[in-house]
Amino acid sequence: MKLASPDRPLIMRGVERTSLGRFLLWLVPWLALLAFGLYGAYLCLALGLNQTNLDNRFAFGLWIFLDLAVIALGAGAFFTGFLLYILRREELADLINSAVVVGFVCYSGAVVILMIDVGQPLRAWFTFWHPNVHSMLTEVTFCITCYLLVLFIEYIPIVLRNRRLRRIPAFLVFEFNLHKVMVVFAAVGTFLSFFHQGSLGGLYGVLQGRPFAFREGFAIWPTTFFLFILSAIAVGPAFLMLVTRLAEALTRKRLVHPRVYTLLGRISGWLLVSYVLLKSVDTLIWLNRTAPAVGFLGHDFYVHAAFGTWILFAEIVLFGLAPALMLLIPRVRQGRWAIVAALLACFGIALNRFVMTIQTLSLPSLPFDKLLLYWPSWQEMASFLAVIAYAVILFSLSYRYLPLYPRERELQADRDPDSVAPRAASRTTLAVGGAGAGTLPTSRR
Amino acid sequence: MSRHRGKLMFLGGLIAALAVGWLGLPIVLYETIDQPLQFSHATHTGDLLGMDCEACHTFDEAGRFCGVPGIALCATCHEEALGDSPAEQHLVEAFIHPNLEIPWLVYARQPDNVFFPHAAHTVLAEISCERCHGPHGHSDRLRPYQRNRISGYSRDIWGSNIAGIASAPWDGMKMGDCSRCHRQRGIVESCQDCHK
Amino acid sequence: MLPGIYEFQWTLGHLIFLGAFFTVLGILVSVLFVSLRKSRIDLQGRRAEVIRWQQSFQQLPADQRQCRHALAGRTQPRVCQRGFACGECPFHARLLASGTAPRTALFGEGSCPAGSGDLFGFAMPASRLYHRGHTWVEQRADGTLVAGLDDLGSRLIGAAPQVELPAIGTEISAQGTGWQICRAGADPVHVLAPVSGTVIATGGPEKGWYLRLQPVRIDAGLEHLLHGEEIRPWVQAELQRLQRRLSPECLGPSLADGGLPVADFPAAYPGVDWDTVWSETFLTD
Amino acid sequence: MSRNTTHRVRYGMAIDIDRCTGCGACMVACAVENNVSVPPPPAGDRKGLTWIRVYRLHNERPYPESRTAYLPLLCQHCGHHTPCVSVCPQHATDIDPETGIVSQIPERCLGCRYCMAACPYHARYFTWWDPVWPAGMEEIFNPDVSPRMRGVVEKCNFCHGRRQVALQRAAAEGRRQIRDDEYRPACLEACPVGAIHFGNLDDPKQELYDLVHGERAFRLLERLGTEPKIYYLSSQPWVRRLLHNGIPASRRHPDGGRPDVAALRHQQVLARDPRAEERRRS
């Protein structure tokens, strides 16, 4: 018998996983990073936020920026769910499980960081008990909490599909029934995500005191509300593409059918194009109407060398239009450049969140002020690295023990991805027939 | 019997959980401390002396409520024991003669961030003391003081009921209790009306 | 948050916002509750085995889900969508009606001695009915059924397995777990029960591990089993698959010399992921 | 019934920049009055607690044209779409409809600092450290102001504790209203040059009314349309140019159409270089 890993009985049948030793070796640096980050987070919680380089002027910093970016990247979870369960794009069944896990780690990580970021985490429930329904942050808090619950529920069936857990009839049956109603969770998740992604945009869009971020809009929602939703669903699929490609590269295996990438690329491309278009219109309206109405010319926002007009160009053209067009060209989106395009798009969304949070706060608001600068402390960076380590660890564990890519076994059995039918006998050089049994071992009569 | 076993077990568990919550939790949550001295309001306010609340619980010249009176006020009558009650004996020997203030545990002490102007309620709105303090002024003895082990506040703030449901108008002195009365009286509130 | 709590106001904003929140929460909780309740009903109705088979079937590679008629060459390649429940399959019924496929033959009593019915060196007598999970069924004169592991299956499990047969009186259902085989150092393999019935007797190792079953219905429940001319192409396809598993790169010369297959495959091929081979062979997880 | 605990007022301030010497007495008085804790040295310039803070303004010209002025900056108690109040997720800050004072209730505050991001005046402060005072200073705490804990936001509330005490004294005397002279913030009292004026902005009988409607008055970032209730007074052109660009208070352009970008650009050029116009004419 092949010397199997001790955890082999926990791993799905028919798929290859590296040995337990190598897997643990892979986890070690991430666990170390997690421990280091947890120490940083502990310092912030125990000694207070003086451990950070945040201050009265720069009240939001690295954490809020990365939270917004991570939540935008995690949008792939709800959007894939929406496409699969509501719009019935069955191809995406290949990767819905991994999308759920990606969404779960992104959102739970962001929530953990938020809990460190606030000065009084034990009062987090106040927002639920005494909500100010006019605040965008209230909407964000309610929606993200509910959506995290949805993601958790969506994660349950994936966990219960573990080979060992499936043996327990109660788990098997619960997983089966939960999966049958997944469409409800997908719909609720879509509704919630729509609002909190938007509210995260509204968070800054409503700041009348910050003309750089302030936008007019419809009803109570500034235009950033809608732009954040659009950008999140545009880049969510691109991020999933990146994660899956990365997983394929690390495991040296094909995990999803190539047509999934084509579909993700097409969706991402079209949404990105519409986002860039609307973002440009919004920027023009802001520069020519919204900002001048409160006495600012577009020029005023871009006089500082660090935040010159190049950042606007980079955000809209380099990391917006360029990847969008790349993903729209079929040849490009099927080739290797699709990864570059997805990377650019993800970077673009992070840059957008950076501009909305960090740049907004660093531009002086008082007429006699200078540009404000801020550099995160190691505690801030470490806490966030802990989230990344947590994400990698949870994803690795899920990949190893849970059916993250349901078609992996099929694609592995048949290296030719375009054919799922049994391989033609001609490729088996030794046909089975007559009395013999091909290359099967025989003993002399 | 076996058909109903699940239901019975559920019912039993429910009752046990409720008992723990309603009876056990208050014991764990509150510590009970006896007052340093037994004081009978009834003796002072009743037919015998007929003092009113303001005789001891006064306002200063700035309208500030002075709370529980100091030992000097007690000494005006109790320089030496007037009767033969052991409590009075204790007062004279332990506090008046050595001139020590009595470390009273104030049932109605609010958290530090609460600003409660007595004058606005008793003088302007003409609300009786009993409305918030109950028949305390006619009580014969001081009940034990119960302190919340977590917050350190008196149990009277939350009220005697663990669920926080008031059985009498003076049972509970939470923000919601203040606010309910204010709303009934049409008083527009902002946070800083009562918070400092 | 709730009416009566400080700062709750009956304004439109509060009603819309909190209404949406409680609706969402209500939907989540009630859907979760409904699935928990359905799970309980399924467990009580002993549907766990049916659900397990449905899921195992979906997870099988497509070539393991080929229709029996496609294997027999009666039709184009076709993936079964019904978990091999041929009795419920309209396509199967159509083929039977048109005479393209023969009905399940009535078969005589008495088991075949080992070694007879040689098929590629495996003892697979044509007088038996075969389940796709490598079990066979024979009907006895008294109407009871006997079920056992077929020769190919036994050799793939190899020598000296530990077998856990169900206790007498257990009701087993077709495609549910029939019995468990465990080879030292490996995860136990669930062998699918070929037919439904109540276990009335079992046979130990000396008699080759079999179950004697009182069928649920005397006349039915056998349509899904392979028989007659279907057996040969099925075994051939199974051997092809096996061959790919055992030597994926197809290196080395063939020993197509009429030798007999070894009795213990795992011992002969230690480098193979037997766990997977078993799951594919016995259609189980 | 007794809706009129107080009469409706709109408290505001006028601060005379031309009088301010930058002595900082207001900052000290404020800290003492409001039991403001003293952060440890690493706090530096941007992590401190200064409910009122005096900024130094400079015209950035060489001697002899060099000019300096001082700007005491405190919570501006914005009256319209108050940026901080509208964003707080849990009503930890509100604007009192009776007085127009923007309050902050630290016990309700989560410490999310969204209000700080929203405030363009940087008038809100976060308690980065556990509050500490020089030894023995707790003994002389102001009993009318509750000290704050770590991890919450605090800010100027026009010495609201003083108003409560004044109201209490009035109540004891049977009055529902306080007289104008009964309530004055600590910074005003401490100012040695009388640069700070306080009162009801809606009362034409008060001196404040004339000051804020005078030609010397303007408000900081008035163009954002948040209707701050702190007015600044100055006759110095460079101060007025630096702090006030003359854009009308309404956020939108008066005729509702597109803002006149060309006019705005011209104004900005003037603000940066007042002599540009003369040069252009000549």
Side-chain angles (χ1 to χ4, degrees), chain A residues 15 31 33 69 73 97 102 110 131 137 160 168 202 246 279 325 349 358 371:
Chain A
V15 297
L31 285 169
L33 194 60
L73 296 176
N97 288 357
V102 166
L137 195 56
L160 294 185
I168 301 162
L246 192 67
K279 169 84 187 166
L325 294 178
I349 217 70
I358 306 291
L371 183 76

Side-chain angles (χ1 to χ4, degrees), chain A residues 1-3 8-16 128-135 138-139 142 146 149-150 153 156 161 163-164 166-170 172-181 184-185 188 191-192 403 409-410 413 420-425 427-445, chain C residues 1-2 5-7 13-14 17-18 20-21 24-25 27-28 31-32 35-36 38-39 42-43 47-48 51-52 54-56 59 61-63 65-66 120-121 186-190 232 236 239-240 242-244 246-247 250 252-262 265-266 268-276 278-280 284-285:
Chain A
M1 289 285 295
K2 187 180 182 176
L3 201 65
R8 182 72 228 183
L10 293 169
I11 297 171
M12 264 207 319
R13 274 197 169 105
V15 297
E16 277 171 35
F128 292 93
W129 209 238
H130 307 286
N132 172 13
V133 298
H134 305 293
S135 169
T138 311
E139 199 170 302
F142 272 71
C146 286
L149 182 68
V150 169
I153 296 173
I156 293 174
R161 245 190 222 178
R163 181 164 154 194
R164 260 296 148 84
R166 267 194 85 215
R167 297 239 177 101
I168 301 162
L172 177 89
V173 169
F174 184 51
E175 188 270 319
F176 174 77
N177 283 306
L178 210 51
H179 197 260
K180 276 205 298 201
V181 291
V184 180
F185 295 115
V188 171
F191 171 81
L192 291 169
R409 182 175 174 179
E410 209 172 300
V420 291
R423 218 172 350 186
R427 283 190 61 186
T428 332
T429 50
L430 306 156
V432 177
T439 55
L440 296 179
T442 57
S443 59
R444 290 275 159 205
R445 232 184 262 250
Chain C
M1 182 80 165
L2 297 164
I5 290 180
Y6 194 79
E7 265 148 17
H14 272 80
F17 186 88
L18 294 172
F21 171 67
V24 163
L25 217 57
I27 291 174
L28 290 185
V31 170
L32 210 54
S35 12
L36 274 170
K38 271 222 75 208
S39 306
D42 282 346
L43 275 179
R47 296 229 324 128
I51 292 167
R52 191 194 300 277
Q54 273 182 22
Q55 293 193 340
S56 304
Q59 282 171 15
D63 55 340
R65 284 183 276 146
Q66 281 292 304
F120 311 118
D187 222 26
V189 177
H190 291 254
R232 188 182 172 87
Q236 187 172 341
L239 289 177
Q240 268 184 20
L242 202 57
Q243 182 179 323
R244 280 209 306 277
L246 300 190
S247 53
C250 298
S254 157
L255 289 172
D257 54 3
L260 275 178
V262 292
F265 274 81
Y269 276 79
V272 167
D273 179 9
W274 281 102
D275 211 31
T276 304
W278 290 332
S279 82
E280 283 173 5
T284 179
D285 64 324

Side-chain angles (χ1 to χ4, degrees), chain D residues 86-106:
Chain D
S86 55
V87 300
C88 178
Q90 48 202 27
H91 295 292
T93 176
D94 79 343
I95 180 159
D96 185 353
E98 297 273 332
T99 60
I101 296 177
V102 177
S103 69
Q104 176 73 23
I105 303 301

Side-chain angles (χ1 to χ4, degrees), chain C residues 4-265:
Chain C
I5 290 180
Y6 194 79
E7 265 148 17
F8 179 89
Q9 291 152 27
W10 290 101
T11 60
L12 192 64
H14 272 80
L15 293 180
I16 294 175
F17 186 88
L18 294 172
F21 171 67
F22 284 117
T23 308
V24 163
L25 217 57
I27 291 174
L28 290 185
V29 170
S30 53
V31 170
L32 210 54
F33 179 76
V34 165
S35 12
L36 274 170
R37 207 181 138 66
K38 271 222 75 208
S39 306
R40 198 159 161 257
I41 292 169
D42 282 346
L43 275 179
Q44 283 173 343
R46 307 174 53 163
R47 296 229 324 128
E49 292 285 308
V50 180
I51 292 167
R52 191 194 300 277
W53 167 242
Q54 273 182 22
Q55 293 193 340
S56 304
F57 183 73
Q58 287 306 322
Q59 282 171 15
L60 285 174
D63 55 340
Q64 284 297 92
R65 284 183 276 146
Q66 281 292 304
C67 174
R68 65 196 289 183
H69 301 299
L71 284 178
R74 298 180 190 123
T75 171
Q76 291 297 308
R78 191 169 189 282
V79 173
C80 176
Q81 304 293 334
R82 300 176 173 270
F84 298 145
C86 303
E88 301 161 12
C89 178
F91 181 75
H92 180 70
R94 225 168 32 242
L95 287 189
L96 287 186
S98 67
T100 315
R103 292 191 176 275
T104 308
L106 292 172
F107 41 96
E109 58 178 7
S111 69
C112 298
S116 71
D118 181 67
L119 204 56
F120 311 118
F122 296 96
M124 309 281 275
S127 57
R128 287 170 172 173
L129 301 178
Y130 290 90
H131 186 264
R132 299 282 289 264
H134 287 276
T135 44
W136 54 261
V137 177
E138 274 182 9
Q139 197 168 28
R140 295 290 155 87
D142 57 359
T144 61
L145 301 170
V146 177
L149 199 64
D150 72 16
D151 193 31
L152 177 58
S154 318
R155 287 169 194 259
L156 284 179
I157 289 289
Q162 286 187 322
V163 180
E164 236 179 84
L165 295 176
I168 289 169
T170 315
E171 276 182 37
I172 59 172
S173 55
Q175 340 278 26
T177 303
W179 60 94
Q180 262 192 50
I181 300 181
C182 187
R183 209 184 138 107
D187 222 26
V189 177
H190 291 254
V191 175
L192 298 186
V195 286
S196 306
T198 311
V199 179
I200 51 174
T202 57
E206 66 286 349
K207 291 176 185 168
W209 303 113
Y210 70 86
L211 295 183
R212 202 178 168 96
L213 301 164
Q214 183 70 49
V216 178
R217 288 176 301 163
I218 201 92
D219 57 328
L222 303 174
E223 301 94 324
H224 61 288
L225 300 173
L226 303 180
H227 59 88
E229 61 189 42
E230 290 167 339
I231 301 168
R232 188 182 172 87
W234 166 61
V235 172
Q236 187 172 341
E238 286 290 278
L239 289 177
Q240 268 184 20
R241 179 181 55 73
L242 202 57
Q243 182 179 323
R244 280 209 306 277
R245 274 284 170 206
L246 300 190
S247 53
E249 306 307 323
C250 298
L251 296 171
S254 157
L255 289 172
D257 54 3
L260 275 178
V262 292
D264 189 340
F265 274 81

Side-chain angles (χ1 to χ4, degrees), chain D residues 124-141:
Chain D
R124 295 182 146 265
Y125 298 87
F126 187 75
T127 42
W128 302 96
W129 279 269
D130 278 311
V132 279
W133 286 268
M137 197 169 153
E138 283 93 341
E139 300 293 322
I140 53 156
F141 266 0

Side-chain angles (χ1 to χ4, degrees), chain B residues 33-48:
Chain B
I33 311 163
D34 282 325
Q35 291 284 1
L37 181 76
Q38 265 309 329
F39 176 82
S40 166
H41 275 96
T43 309
H44 296 78
T45 58
D47 295 333
L48 187 64

